[in-house]
Amino acid sequence: MSSIYDDGPAETNRTRASWAVIALDAFGVATGQRYTDGTLNVDEEELNEIASDLLANLFHLARINLVDPDEIVGRAYLHFNEEVAEEEGADGPPESDTKALDDLLSILGPLDLRGALRSAVELYGEYGDRNDVLSSAQVENLGVLAEHFLNNL
């Protein structure tokens, strides 16, 4: 039996994308949003509409089952970036992550960004998450930063 991995990372990711088209096709039939033709070529505006509607509905399902939608997004983003990095043979953070960091550094500068992160850690340490709005990944990141700031005074 053949595996989706047999033809390399690029073809594996095309297979994954084709599974997404299958999901969007089924969703489109149920909602009347029949924007796909079974191929990987989907109009940008239509893809944005149907994919965001499907994701919103997945978030409703997650909420009903007491699952944080941010956890789903975080895990999906992690998988996606790892799979693209494998395809591109890249090491290190994905370009989109470095661009986001570069954007923040251009706005604040390194010391101000560090100060903002430290303030976030201190506020979380003082007040916690009273309204339960932070995902477990965000809380974990704040913990990692708190440990960093504690060890690097």
Side-chain angles (χ1 to χ4, degrees):
M1 180 174 181
S2 66
S3 164
I4 68 163
Y5 305 105
D6 289 347
D7 295 322
E11 199 54 42
T12 298
N13 288 342
R14 290 183 64 78
T15 299
R16 291 178 172 122
S18 71
W19 294 338
V21 169
I22 292 168
L24 291 175
D25 282 342
F27 184 71
V29 168
T31 63
Q33 296 168 293
R34 297 181 179 183
Y35 299 146
T36 58
D37 61 5
T39 70
L40 298 181
N41 300 315
V42 184
D43 176 79
E44 180 182 352
E45 189 174 315
E46 292 172 345
L47 179 58
N48 277 317
E49 179 186 322
I50 192 170
S52 61
D53 287 351
L54 176 58
L55 284 171
N57 290 342
L58 287 170
F59 296 162
H60 289 297
L61 178 62
R63 183 174 163 258
I64 289 168
N65 288 282
L66 305 176
V67 174
D68 183 354
D70 285 339
E71 291 292 321
I72 294 170
V73 171
R75 285 183 185 200
Y77 188 67
L78 178 71
H79 286 279
F80 170 77
N81 283 327
E82 288 175 349
E83 291 160 0
V84 168
E86 182 179 312
E87 179 180 340
E88 294 174 350
D91 291 324
E95 183 178 322
S96 60
D97 284 357
T98 59
K99 181 177 179 346
L101 179 59
D102 289 344
D103 288 346
L104 289 172
L105 287 169
S106 72
I107 295 167
L108 296 174
L111 292 177
D112 288 338
L113 180 56
R114 179 182 168 83
L117 290 171
R118 188 175 192 121
S119 294
V121 167
E122 290 172 357
L123 286 168
Y124 178 74
E126 180 73 22
Y127 299 104
D129 185 15
R130 292 182 180 172
N131 295 322
D132 196 30
V133 295
L134 298 176
S135 70
S136 60
Q138 291 168 320
V139 170
E140 184 177 324
N141 288 338
L142 287 167
V144 168
L145 285 169
E147 187 173 324
H148 169 79
F149 290 128
L150 183 65
N151 294 327
N152 296 285
L153 296 175

